[in-house]
Amino acid sequence: MLLGVTIVVLFLIFVGVLIKRAWWGYPPSAGQLLGRGESALVKAAGEAMFPPHPGLAVDGGQAELARYADTYLQALGTSQRRLIRAMFLLFEQGPLLFPARGVGGFRRFSSLTPSQRLAYLEDWAQSRMLLRRVALSALKAVLILGYFGHDENLRALGLEAWEIEPVICEADLLYPPIGEPRSAVRWTRSDLNVETPRKPLRPFTKPAAERG
Amino acid sequence: MNEASPSNESLRVFADYDRDFVEEADVVVVGSGPSGSVVTQQLAEAGHRVILVEEGPPFTPSEFVQDSNLTMARTLREAGLRSPIGTFMPILQAICLGGGSLVNSAMCLRPPPFVFDDWCSRFELSQTTRDDLEPHFDAVAKFLGIAPTPDDVQGKRNLLFRDGCRELGYSSEPCERNVQGCRGSGECFSGCRSRAKQSMDITYIPEAMRCGARVLTSLQVNRVLGAGRRVWGVEGRVVEPFTGRPGAHFRIHARVVVLAAGCMATPVLLMRSGGLANESGQVGQNLQMHPGSTVAGRYPDFVDPLFGGTQSYQSLQFLREGFKLETMWSPPAAQAVRTPGLGEDLVDRLSNFNRTVVWDGIVGANRSLGRVSARFDSMDPVIRWRLHPEDAGILVRAIHELCRIHFAAGADRVFPGIAGLPEHFDSVEEADVLRDASVAPGDLTVASSHLFCTTRMHGDAKQGVVDEWGKCYGLDNLYIADTGIFPACPSVNPMFTALALAHRQAHALKDRV
Ligand SMILES: Cc1cc2nc3c(=O)[nH]c(=O)nc-3n(C[C@H](O)[C@H](O)[C@H](O)COP(=O)(O)OP(=O)(O)OC[C@H]3O[C@@H](n4cnc5c(N)ncnc54)[C@H](O)[C@@H]3O)c2cc1C
Ligand code: SF4
């Protein structure tokens, strides 16, 4: 009898610890669609992947990756959204199935220490199992697009997107903005601005060897 | 609509449909990619009543976004996350007016004669030599203004490729593209805000509308209607842009149906129409691709990688050996996705991105076959395809050559992107490990946007789905015009071939409708 009660109590404690480690105590999410756990995962993985660097303006913690991931989720259709969320879940709760290296490795990803997080991601990147490598590449792809697409980082490297005044050609007078009826075409002939020839975005200088 | 605008009476967009409807035409064309657009324009010009049906919406320059994830979510099937079972890799296919031409790099290549000779001999074709197709290539080239990319918009990253090739004695050339007045923004993938790229939505489709064709967007065709040897139209649902949420039903009756929904969607449509055109059992079979891998090179100085035509230089030196080499660019963050490492290593590499140039190799993977089948609950295909070890070997050879070209052009470090091998090489001698490296297909990082053969043409009705004119065997008035009809890989970028074949097909159809 006593043994039975002890087993039940221990089991309940285990379940309690598991629930606490998996779902308890998340800070509020940074987005509309992104759940608290997803938001914490994105932030924690971003911090691990992109530490501060003198050549780049913002690091993974400052790049507002959770907000970025939220915008991305909003743009996806239902089945792709499910896929991305499953991947977030896999990484966030992964250490409860395959604990991270070191003391305290049996807890959700976002509660691991910074060095444990990096080591955990590196394990996935180096895995001989294609599926783990693919999952890591997918997580890295979503985060890198947010981190390296950040205006300030691109500006720091002289790679910010071109400021291009959209050119309106004859065909654009046929198409309304997406979602609006065809009567809502934005432009008229007076908006046509196709220059001929259009100017290259950088002036051209022939290499010395090819001049003359 | 403002009075000063040309008429768009013949266009329908999502917000224009408020109930179920039925339409009638001589010809209904399903899919507005390069193939469907040419067929529509040619038949409309010949005086036929044509309806072009497209599932995606039309885009204008204000709708192009620079973020790669958002671009893919808005313009690509399954948000760019489509992948085959077998070899994991992204398969990029568009969903928008103009199909692939809106987001592609506009490279236009005529495959060399040996490709067509091979097609003719292996697939019992008698009228598909390069000479047979030449007038059609010429007509399309003239209409779209296809021309070599001029030097003033090559930018350093394209010219480095040229220099590296020259140094090694390899042939190289500026890419011919359907572009007029390129500004070198390198953003073809997210849509040309300069409207220099002559995509179908601003060329063949408006011209077709001018000739009387009607263009119905945001309609997903779910079924071809027919019985016995004849089809009499298509039916489907209105779908909301981006979410794909279904709305009203429609039906279009026509004397001739042309399927140009692309190499994945066309076989699915046939399967979901009661197994149409499948006496040969070849519908959805024989799937082939050009898998491609990229190789990044780091240079000692700033290379201004942002500037230059997206993919503007290429080498055809190794075409007979099964691969083609070319330059490439997409938004920096998308290019950076394949940067190896994590943590400090990763950010250090990213901080060098303004000194980094990326090139790619594509393989005419004739041994890697797959198939496409239908799901019961959606029009998305189930794709099975596996990279054959011999084709993987050719890809490794392409990667090796790209490493050599980078070093010849002055790179100080090159990233081959192969799992299980060093993350980078610092000299051409180090890169030579690729000569004897044993690389499993799964160790390569591949992607593909060139897909073919799922409704292949064949001279023998028992072995193909369509004849040389795209007419489905066993049916009198159902045609297919997209890259699915290619009998094998074209070895070079496929759009121009698709355009020329569609142009020829439309010429034959003009008299048959
Ligand atoms: C990013 C990218 C870059 C590329 N770069 C190049 C390049 O530089 N040069 C080159 O030669 N090739 C390139 N390609 C490949 C080239 O764009 C394609 O081979 C070409 O577009 C194929 O033309 P298509 O007419 O067969 O089909 P698609 O262009 O795929 O068009 C099919 C159309 O049918 C529509 N459709 C599908 N199903 C349905 C349905 N059920 N109902 C209604 N409509 C439907 C689709 O939405 C789509 O618009 C690139 C492709 C991509 C994605
Ligand atoms: S490189 Fe830029 S300007 Fe040139 S065609 Fe592509 S998007 Fe347009």
Side-chain angles (χ1 to χ4, degrees):
Chain A
M1 173 71 178
L2 190 63
L3 182 67
V5 171
T6 313
I7 290 176
V8 169
V9 169
L10 284 177
F11 178 72
L12 289 177
I13 291 173
F14 176 73
V15 170
V17 168
L18 202 65
I19 290 176
K20 180 170 181 293
R21 295 201 165 183
W23 288 292
W24 215 259
Y26 279 122
S29 164
Q32 293 170 12
L33 261 186
L34 207 65
R36 288 163 172 244
E38 293 165 336
S39 184
L41 174 266
V42 167
K43 189 165 180 303
E47 282 165 1
M49 277 189 202
F50 315 114
H53 186 283
L56 291 159
V58 296
D59 61 38
Q62 300 163 325
E64 300 185 284
L65 292 177
R67 200 180 303 251
Y68 177 82
D70 189 59
T71 314
Y72 178 48
L73 280 188
Q74 289 181 40
L76 292 178
T78 321
S79 49
Q80 284 76 43
R81 198 181 289 163
R82 258 189 232 131
L83 207 67
I84 297 292
R85 295 195 114 144
M87 177 190 73
F88 286 162
L89 184 71
L90 179 69
F91 278 98
E92 175 63 348
Q93 306 300 352
L96 294 175
L97 285 179
F98 311 104
R101 278 181 270 163
V103 183
F106 177 68
R107 55 185 70 232
R108 64 194 184 214
F109 180 86
S110 56
S111 300
L112 297 174
T113 64
S115 59
Q116 272 176 323
R117 289 179 207 160
L118 186 58
Y120 188 74
L121 295 175
E122 266 162 2
D123 280 350
W124 283 62
Q126 303 303 328
S127 170
R128 286 307 294 176
M129 267 176 68
L130 179 66
L131 213 70
R132 289 181 84 190
R133 293 206 310 271
V134 166
L136 192 272
S137 307
L139 178 69
K140 188 171 156 187
V142 173
L143 297 188
I144 231 173
L145 283 161
Y147 169 74
F148 203 53
H150 198 283
D151 287 347
E152 287 184 43
N153 276 340
L154 291 175
R155 203 168 304 127
L157 298 176
L159 296 177
E160 71 269 41
W162 299 105
E163 299 243 334
I164 293 177
E165 173 75 7
V167 167
I168 308 306
C169 67
E170 185 88 22
D172 292 315
L173 308 187
L174 298 168
Y175 307 131
I178 296 173
E180 296 191 31
R182 72 176 186 284
S183 54
V185 172
R186 271 196 205 104
W187 298 290
T188 65
R189 285 198 178 281
S190 60
D191 297 309
L192 293 179
N193 59 350
V194 180
E195 286 172 55
T196 352
R198 298 174 187 79
K199 284 191 204 71
L201 290 162
R202 296 253 196 270
F204 179 59
T205 26
K206 264 194 169 186
E210 288 174 26
R211 273 181 236 143
Chain B
M1 193 182 61
N2 194 295
E3 278 173 21
S5 300
S7 166
N8 65 0
E9 267 306 297
S10 48
L11 174 78
R12 291 282 180 283
V13 293
F14 177 70
D16 297 326
Y17 310 108
D18 53 1
R19 66 196 70 164
D20 295 353
F21 65 93
V22 178
E23 295 281 354
E24 219 163 283
D26 295 333
V27 184
V28 60
V29 179
V30 180
S32 70
S35 317
S37 301
V38 173
V39 171
T40 304
Q41 185 271 336
Q42 289 289 303
L43 294 180
E45 192 182 61
H48 299 298
R49 290 179 310 141
V50 189
I51 292 183
L52 174 63
V53 183
E54 168 57 48
E55 184 175 342
F59 280 73
T60 56
S62 319
E63 264 113 13
F64 297 143
V65 290
Q66 304 315 300
D67 178 274
S68 309
N69 268 332
L70 295 185
T71 291
M72 291 195 283
R74 288 157 64 90
T75 59
L76 297 184
R77 297 245 159 216
E78 301 180 48
L81 302 173
R82 181 172 270 187
S83 168
I85 300 167
T87 296
F88 175 84
M89 63 171 182
I91 288 183
L92 306 183
Q93 279 196 292
I95 170 168
C96 48
L97 190 68
S101 71
L102 189 83
V103 293
N104 75 16
S105 306
M107 285 192 277
C108 290
L109 269 88
R110 303 177 198 220
F114 75 78
V115 168
F116 294 107
D117 294 345
D118 173 59
W119 286 12
C120 286
S121 69
R122 283 204 291 144
F123 303 95
E124 300 175 30
L125 307 171
S126 56
Q127 297 171 82
T128 308
T129 62
R130 165 82 180 255
D131 283 348
D132 293 323
L133 288 174
E134 209 65 2
H136 303 285
F137 277 119
D138 289 344
V140 171
K142 188 162 172 225
F143 185 84
L144 293 177
I146 293 171
T149 309
D151 271 0
D152 59 356
V153 289
Q154 287 289 358
K156 195 162 177 185
R157 73 180 145 75
N158 288 312
L159 295 178
L160 280 169
F161 179 86
R162 176 198 65 183
D163 297 346
C165 287
R166 277 187 187 163
E167 190 65 28
L168 294 173
Y170 296 164
S171 70
S172 69
E173 64 207 85
C175 297
E176 298 210 352
R177 299 182 305 154
N178 53 316
V179 171
Q180 285 176 20
C182 179
R183 303 185 68 200
S185 68
E187 60 184 20
C188 291
F189 179 63
S190 49
C192 180
R193 284 183 287 170
S194 306
R195 281 304 201 197
K197 179 163 56 171
Q198 301 298 294
S199 48
M200 302 302 122
D201 54 323
I202 63 168
T203 52
Y204 274 108
I205 294 172
E207 182 59 18
M209 285 163 75
R210 216 183 49 75
C211 298
R214 302 177 58 199
V215 177
L216 312 187
T217 63
S218 288
L219 298 186
Q220 183 190 62
V221 172
N222 301 134
R223 212 155 74 92
V224 181
L225 305 165
R229 289 187 63 89
R230 294 197 69 78
V231 295
W232 62 77
V234 296
E235 66 176 17
R237 306 282 295 265
V238 172
V239 287
E240 188 180 41
F242 310 138
T243 65
R245 218 170 282 137
H249 293 80
F250 71 91
R251 203 169 245 218
I252 298 168
H253 295 143
R255 285 194 279 148
V256 168
V257 175
V258 180
L259 299 180
C263 167
M264 298 284 156
T266 292
V268 168
L269 258 175
L270 292 171
M271 291 172 200
R272 291 178 68 107
S273 309
L276 267 183
N278 200 17
E279 280 171 18
S280 63
Q282 298 294 324
V283 168
Q285 304 294 314
N286 313 305
L287 171 65
Q288 294 196 21
M289 307 190 192
H290 287 157
S293 286
T294 58
V295 175
R298 191 186 73 183
Y299 288 73
D301 304 312
F302 179 62
V303 288
D304 195 10
L306 221 52
F307 177 62
T310 304
Q311 296 197 269
S312 297
Y313 236 91
Q314 64 190 5
S315 170
L316 305 180
Q317 172 86 24
F318 303 100
L319 220 48
R320 275 192 181 273
E321 291 173 49
F323 63 96
K324 173 183 180 251
L325 305 176
E326 54 197 30
T327 60
M328 82 168 299
W329 190 245
S330 54
Q335 290 286 73
V337 161
R338 289 198 50 238
T339 308
L342 291 164
E344 276 170 21
D345 283 351
L346 175 61
V347 282
D348 199 48
R349 282 175 191 138
L350 292 178
S351 73
N352 284 317
F353 222 74
N354 51 10
R355 302 196 273 134
T356 302
V357 167
V358 182
W359 300 330
D360 77 293
I362 56 170
V363 167
N366 273 316
R367 294 168 202 79
S368 309
L369 299 178
R371 68 195 153 93
V372 172
S373 48
R375 289 174 209 260
F376 73 96
D377 60 340
S378 97
M379 294 297 289
D380 289 330
V382 178
I383 307 161
R384 291 186 174 75
W385 185 86
R386 196 176 286 282
L387 181 59
H388 189 282
E390 280 182 46
D391 290 329
I394 298 177
L395 199 48
V396 174
R397 171 122 166 66
I399 291 171
H400 184 209
E401 287 303 341
L402 287 171
C403 292
R404 285 166 47 80
I405 299 170
H406 269 305
F407 284 120
D412 56 21
R413 176 164 285 183
V414 174
F415 301 89
I418 302 177
L421 290 184
E423 265 178 7
H424 61 258
F425 301 129
D426 285 335
S427 67
V428 74
E429 290 74 24
E430 281 181 28
D432 284 343
V433 297
L434 289 172
R435 257 192 239 285
D436 311 307
S438 97
V439 176
D443 294 334
L444 292 159
T445 311
V446 281
S448 187
S449 53
H450 300 173
L451 316 156
F452 337 97
C453 309
T454 51
T455 52
R456 73 176 179 198
M457 62 164 110
H458 201 293
D460 176 359
K462 291 196 198 72
Q463 298 187 63
V465 179
V466 297
D467 66 15
E468 273 175 282
W469 308 101
K471 186 165 118 22
C472 290
Y473 285 118
L475 289 158
D476 294 337
N477 57 344
L478 178 62
Y479 291 78
I480 299 177
D482 55 43
T483 57
I485 70 170
F486 291 13
C489 291
S491 299
V492 299
N493 316 61
M495 177 172 65
F496 203 6
T497 308
L499 286 161
L501 283 170
H503 191 268
R504 175 173 82 155
Q505 212 171 327
H507 270 246
L509 252 175
K510 277 178 192 170
D511 304 327
R512 294 193 199 173
V513 174

